[in-house]
Amino acid sequence: MMDFLMQCRAIVGDAYVLDAPADMGPFLTDWRGRFTGKALAVLRPGSVEQVAALVRACVSHRVALVPQGGNTGLVLGSVPDASGAQVVLSLARLNNIRQIDPVNRTMTVDAGCILQQIQEAAAAEDCLFPLSLAAEGSCTIGGNLSTNAGGTAVLRYGNTRELCLGLEVVTPQGEVWSGLRGLRKDNTGYDLRDLFIGAEGTLGIITGAVLKLYPQPKASITALAALPSPAAAQQLLVLMQDYCGSSLTGFELMSRYCLELVAEQFPQLPKPFATPHPQYVLLELSSSESEQHAVGLLEQAIGAALERDVINDAVVATSVAQSAGLWQLREHIPLAQAKVGKNIKHDISLPVSRIADFIAVTGPLLDAAFPGCQLVCFGHLGDGNLHYNVAPPVGISNEDFLANQLKVNRVVHDSVVSFGGSISAEHGIGALKRDELAHYKSAVELNMMRAIKAALDPLGIMNPGKIL
C-alpha cells in the first residue's frame, strides 16, 4: 500500500495523511467509546477536488473508505472496522460557509461545517437554521445529512432531510455531482438528493449542501408540565397543537426516573416541582409576532390542560436563564446515564397515538425477561421518537447486562414493530444495527436497497459493512 499512500500524499500533502497510531487515534473510536477500529490511514482533504482525487486513488487501488464528519454518531457508522485495510476520509477541513442568501432563505455550506457554526452564521443574518442537537458544538452538517439527524425541533421544522434543498456529492467513481440548487420546486427526474441523505456515506460522500433558513422568531417561551401518564402527554400534545398550531416547536417527554437520575447526578440543576410526578413534558413555543403573543398562547393552552385534568402542574420560564435551566434537565439525561454506567440504548419511532400503549406493554415484557431492569424513557414525543434505554438491575454489572444486548433488543424491537414503528428514528443503522435491519426489513425492501448500492458503488468501497 506504499504506492497508494504516496499518491494520497501527493494529492493532499504529507501533513494531511495520518498513518501513525497516535495521530489516527481520535478518528478510530466511536463517540460512546464502545469500539475502536483500525485504519490504513486517515486522509484529511482540504477541497472538493482533493476529495474526488482521493476517491479515484481508492478506486485505483481497491481501498475501501469510511467518510467521517464530527464522529459523533451512535451506531458505529463513522469508524473503520478492525481489518486495518480501510482509510478514514475526514471532511473536517471542508468547513467554509460558501454563501448566505437572506432573500431566498438559503445557506450554502461545506460538509465539514460544525452545526453550531451554521446556526451562528444564520443568526448573524437575522435568520434561523433550526436543526438543534446535543452534539451541535462538534457534529458536522455532512454527518447530519448522512444520518438524516433529527433533534429537538423536528415537530415544527422536520428532520435534516426537510432542511436541505440541494447537495454536492463525490460519487464512488470520484466524480463530482453538483446539485447545489436553492430551489423549493424542481421536478426534473429522480430525486438524487434524497438518495444520499440518510445513506450514511454508503453511496457517496456529501461535500456541500444548500440549507433552508427561516425567519428568527421574535420570542420563545419554555414550560415544564407534570403529568399523570404518557397517555396524558398524548392528550396534551393534541391540545397544544389545537391552541398553538405551528408555534409549538418543542415537545419532549421525560419519565420520573429520568429526572430523578438527573437530580442525583447533577444536584445543581433546577428542581421545578416540590413533589415528583410520573411523567413530564418540556414545551417550547416560538412566536413570529411577540413575547406577549407567545405567553398568551401558552397561558390559554396550559389553563385548558389544567381544567381538563390533562396535567397536574406546570412551571413557565420567565427568563432566558430559567428557560436554559429547564432545557438542561432534558439535555442532561444522557449525561446522567453515562455517569451511572452502561445501558442498552434504543432510538425508536412510533405513531404518536401508539406511544402510551407501547410504553405500557413493553415495560412489563422487559421486567419479566430481566427482573429489576431500569427504563430510561425520554424523547421527542411530538414527532414520535423515543429514546428507550434499558439499564441493568441493581447488583448486576454493566458487562453481564450488556451480554444480553441481543435479547433486550429483540424484546424492544419486536414490540416496536408490533406497534407499527421503526427500530431507528434518528441515529441511523451503521454497523451496530445492521443485523437488526436485516431481521426486520422485508426482502423486497432489502433487495431494492442492495440494487441501489450495487448500481452506484459496484466496487463496494463506500463505507462497507454499514447499513447492508
Side-chain angles (χ1 to χ4, degrees):
M1 287 290 120
M2 291 303 296
D3 288 348
F4 168 71
L5 292 180
M6 286 178 61
Q7 187 175 349
C8 292
R9 289 188 172 96
I11 294 168
V12 298
D14 289 347
Y16 300 113
V17 177
L18 312 179
D19 57 357
D23 295 334
M24 291 193 292
F27 300 87
L28 305 182
T29 300
D30 79 293
W31 182 254
R32 292 165 62 192
R34 292 280 184 92
F35 177 80
T36 298
K38 297 179 181 179
L40 178 64
V42 174
L43 311 178
R44 303 186 66 228
S47 68
V48 177
E49 293 73 25
Q50 288 183 358
V51 174
L54 288 172
V55 171
R56 291 194 294 270
C58 287
V59 170
S60 177
H61 292 270
R62 298 298 192 268
V63 173
L65 56 91
V66 179
Q68 187 179 100
N71 196 22
T72 59
L74 301 176
V75 292
L76 308 184
S78 60
V79 291
D81 62 19
S83 70
Q86 301 175 345
V87 294
V88 174
L89 198 149
S90 169
L91 280 295
R93 293 180 61 217
L94 276 68
N95 58 3
N96 292 313
I97 305 289
R98 301 188 192 180
Q99 182 190 38
I100 299 178
D101 186 342
V103 176
N104 196 43
R105 298 283 188 194
T106 55
M107 179 190 297
T108 305
V109 301
D110 284 349
C113 286
I114 301 294
L115 175 55
Q116 186 174 333
Q117 173 192 2
I118 293 172
Q119 295 167 341
E120 292 170 351
E125 297 290 335
D126 200 29
C127 292
L128 171 71
F129 183 65
L131 182 64
S132 181
L133 315 170
E136 60 193 29
S138 49
C139 65
T140 65
I141 194 64
N144 299 148
L145 287 160
S146 292
T147 57
N148 190 26
T152 58
V154 172
L155 173 63
R156 167 65 179 86
Y157 297 102
N159 291 309
T160 314
R161 184 186 301 278
E162 282 74 49
L163 300 175
C164 177
L165 292 174
L167 290 180
E168 176 184 76
V169 175
V170 173
T171 72
Q173 291 71 42
E175 299 174 326
V176 179
W177 168 58
S178 182
L180 295 175
R181 293 180 286 273
L183 302 174
R184 270 79 178 175
K185 292 182 176 180
D186 182 10
N187 285 331
T188 54
Y190 301 131
D191 195 334
L192 300 178
R193 173 198 59 184
D194 274 353
L195 272 179
F196 296 103
I197 296 175
E200 301 184 45
T202 62
L203 302 179
I205 302 170
I206 295 173
T207 53
V210 180
L211 306 174
K212 291 182 187 176
L213 301 180
Y214 294 82
Q216 278 282 4
K218 295 292 189 295
S220 292
I221 187 166
T222 305
L224 185 68
L227 303 99
S229 67
Q234 290 176 188
Q235 291 177 272
L236 180 62
L237 175 62
V238 173
L239 187 151
M240 292 297 300
Q241 289 174 322
D242 286 345
Y243 274 83
C244 306
S246 61
S247 294
L248 182 65
T249 52
F251 197 93
E252 299 286 310
L253 180 70
M254 303 173 287
S255 70
R256 172 178 173 172
Y257 181 66
C258 288
L259 290 201
E260 287 177 343
L261 202 60
V262 170
E264 175 188 307
Q265 298 301 319
F266 300 97
Q268 76 277 14
L269 292 181
K271 297 175 179 61
F273 301 103
T275 57
H277 297 268
Q279 299 288 330
Y280 302 89
V281 165
L282 184 65
L283 303 160
E284 183 177 81
L285 265 66
S286 298
S287 173
S288 59
E289 296 184 27
S290 65
E291 183 176 348
Q292 183 180 4
H293 178 253
V295 170
L297 285 175
L298 184 61
E299 286 178 346
Q300 277 189 310
I302 292 293
L306 286 167
E307 286 177 10
R308 301 176 195 181
D309 294 324
V310 174
I311 64 175
N312 299 335
D313 200 356
V315 295
V316 179
T318 57
S319 68
V320 172
Q322 287 184 1
S323 177
L326 293 179
W327 272 105
Q328 281 187 315
L329 295 175
R330 162 65 177 85
E331 291 161 356
H332 278 68
I333 295 171
L335 302 177
Q337 285 182 272
K339 289 185 74 170
V340 171
K342 302 290 186 183
N343 49 87
I344 299 173
K345 295 179 181 288
H346 303 94
D347 163 51
I348 59 175
S349 66
L350 297 141
V352 174
S353 58
R354 308 302 303 277
I355 283 178
D357 292 337
F358 167 83
I359 292 173
V361 167
T362 311
L365 290 174
L366 283 166
D367 195 56
F370 308 97
C373 65
Q374 301 285 344
L375 301 179
V376 186
C377 180
F378 65 100
H380 321 301
L381 180 68
D383 57 60
N385 178 190
L386 286 183
H387 300 300
Y388 193 79
N389 303 332
V390 188
V394 175
I396 302 297
S397 72
N398 290 324
E399 291 72 22
D400 287 344
F401 188 62
L402 289 175
N404 293 300
Q405 179 155 350
L406 291 179
K407 295 178 182 178
V408 172
N409 287 348
R410 190 63 67 241
V411 172
V412 174
H413 290 160
D414 279 355
S415 187
V416 167
V417 171
S418 75
F419 282 97
S422 167
I423 66 168
S424 181
E426 61 180 1
H427 293 166
I429 297 298
L432 188 66
K433 296 182 182 179
R434 182 187 60 207
D435 294 340
E436 288 294 280
L437 185 77
H439 183 82
Y440 290 104
K441 280 281 190 187
S442 72
V444 172
E445 285 180 284
L446 288 170
N447 286 337
M448 285 193 290
M449 290 170 66
R450 291 188 183 109
I452 293 168
K453 171 72 171 173
L456 294 182
D457 181 23
L459 297 179
I461 67 168
M462 285 288 173
N463 217 5
K466 314 296 167 56
I467 301 182
L468 296 171

